[in-house]
Amino acid sequence: MQASPASAELPEKVDRVLIVDTYHHIEDRIAYFARLRDSIKPGGQVAIIDFTLDSPVGPPKNTRIPAEQVGAEMKRAGYAQIAQHGFLPYQYFLVFRPQP
């Protein structure tokens, strides 16, 4: 599904949402992800993959968002981080679950 800047535009609740290399493009991220919680089934997850600050490829360095900031923003939007994977060479891979 292709989302709009204001909404994920999901037609029904989903088990997982995967956001790859676009988190840094979302303007009001806390509000966006707070709204997204209504589109996720109980026990569902949101996975966010984006470029690390020191990656030699990716968007301009001044537009990148550190993984720690993503975690803090997602917490403010009502999510708990449940995993962080380190197998990608230039990106972080974070997984979150909406909190009740």
Side-chain angles (χ1 to χ4, degrees), residues 72-83:
E73 290 175 356
M74 292 298 284
K75 183 175 183 179
R76 288 182 56 204
Y79 295 79
Q81 186 171 332
I82 59 171

Side-chain angles (χ1 to χ4, degrees), residues 25-52:
H25 289 290
I26 300 170
E27 290 188 22
D28 191 355
R29 292 181 292 273
I30 295 167
Y32 181 91
F33 284 96
R35 285 190 302 271
L36 182 64
R37 291 177 64 220
D38 292 335
S39 296
I40 300 172
K41 292 179 182 178
Q45 300 176 353
V46 175
I48 298 174
I49 298 171
D50 218 319
F51 288 94
T52 61

Side-chain angles (χ1 to χ4, degrees), residues 3-84:
S4 76
S7 171
E9 312 221 6
L10 297 173
E12 60 188 51
K13 291 187 180 238
V14 298
D15 294 310
R16 287 182 189 84
V17 174
L18 174 63
I19 299 175
V20 180
D21 300 339
T22 55
Y23 185 85
H24 63 277
H25 289 290
I26 300 170
E27 290 188 22
D28 191 355
R29 292 181 292 273
I30 295 167
Y32 181 91
F33 284 96
R35 285 190 302 271
L36 182 64
R37 291 177 64 220
D38 292 335
S39 296
I40 300 172
K41 292 179 182 178
Q45 300 176 353
V46 175
I48 298 174
I49 298 171
D50 218 319
F51 288 94
T52 61
L53 296 179
D54 60 351
S55 171
V57 297
K61 292 186 187 250
N62 66 335
T63 65
R64 299 178 192 187
I65 300 170
E68 298 79 16
Q69 182 177 339
V70 174
E73 290 175 356
M74 292 298 284
K75 183 175 183 179
R76 288 182 56 204
Y79 295 79
Q81 186 171 332
I82 59 171
Q84 180 170 355

